[in-house]
Each structure stands twice: as structure tokens, then as C-alpha cells.
Amino acid sequence: MTGRRRWRDGHGTLLVPGAEGQAAARVPLEFAVSYRARTRGLLGRTSVDGALLLSPAGSVHTFGMRMPIDVAYLDRRCTVLAVTTMVPGRLGLPRLRSRHVLEAAAGAMAGWGVLAGARVEIIPG
């Protein structure tokens, strides 16, 4: 989905285009759009099923986390600007042009094909 978004807290699907000749990855997605949901994020969880989308967000931290996570910074068009793995107790650097942040278990994004330059699709509901 591109253009202006009006997402709500809830669930949906992250669609990651596959490389040439490969099928797209469909990943369960949780939306954290309200202030309360964004501040809670993955805090206190020991695992995550799929990915969590924080929007709007330009940076994240892992203070209070119990697990390392992959973090992907997305621009307004859902193009991946950068992907990094963060261990608990760290403060991520703010990313210019970042409008959304995806969080997932460490190592998951590489398996899905979420790489810098890829354009993902966010499907609500």
C-alpha cells in the first residue's frame, strides 16, 4: 500500500517481494500505530510471531527487551532504507527519511528477503 495511510493498531500482512523466480514472502504483521502501542512495542516479550510495524517512527531502542531484534527502517513509500540487528539495552540512531520501523526476531528479516533497497507492501487486516 502506498500513498497516505490510515493504519490502526491490529494485525495484517507484510509482503516481501521475492528475488527473480522466487515467490514473495508473506509475513504475519502486527500494527503499533497508537502512541500507547508504539511505546509498548516488543517490551517484555520473549518472542514475536512475524513482525511488528511501528508507525510513525524514525528510531527505536531496546531498553527492557529480552531478545535481540532485527530492525528495518522504511521510508514513506515502504522502501527499506536500512536493516540492522540490535541487542537488548541499546539506543538506535535516528534514520533520516524513516517514517516506519519494522521489528522482528534477530535473523528473521534476512530469511524473508528484507534488505536495503527492497520495497515491501503493508496489507492491513
Side-chain angles (χ1 to χ4, degrees):
M1 178 180 226
T2 59
R4 270 191 100 45
R5 295 170 182 81
R6 295 262 181 210
W7 294 324
R8 298 174 192 222
D9 293 343
H11 298 284
T13 303
L14 172 68
L15 188 62
V16 184
E20 240 178 86
Q22 294 182 351
R26 296 182 67 85
V27 179
L29 183 65
E30 183 179 341
F31 289 85
V33 179
S34 69
Y35 175 78
R36 185 177 201 164
R38 286 193 322 268
T39 56
R40 184 177 56 240
L42 295 176
L43 294 177
R45 298 190 198 184
T46 56
S47 66
V48 59
D49 179 31
L52 175 71
L53 176 74
L54 303 167
S55 181
S59 67
V60 296
H61 68 83
T62 57
F63 298 115
M65 294 272 188
R66 297 181 178 181
M67 61 183 175
I69 60 171
D70 280 350
V71 177
Y73 298 90
L74 310 177
D75 68 9
R76 291 183 182 273
R77 299 178 64 190
C78 293
T79 300
V80 179
L81 301 171
V83 180
T84 187
T85 300
M86 293 178 65
V87 296
R90 301 286 185 223
L91 179 63
L93 295 173
R95 301 287 174 149
L96 294 176
R97 298 186 356 234
S98 178
R99 178 69 177 159
H100 318 289
V101 173
L102 284 171
E103 296 180 341
M109 290 197 191
W112 301 330
V114 177
L115 305 168
R119 189 162 180 191
V120 299
E121 186 175 350
I122 308 295
I123 304 168

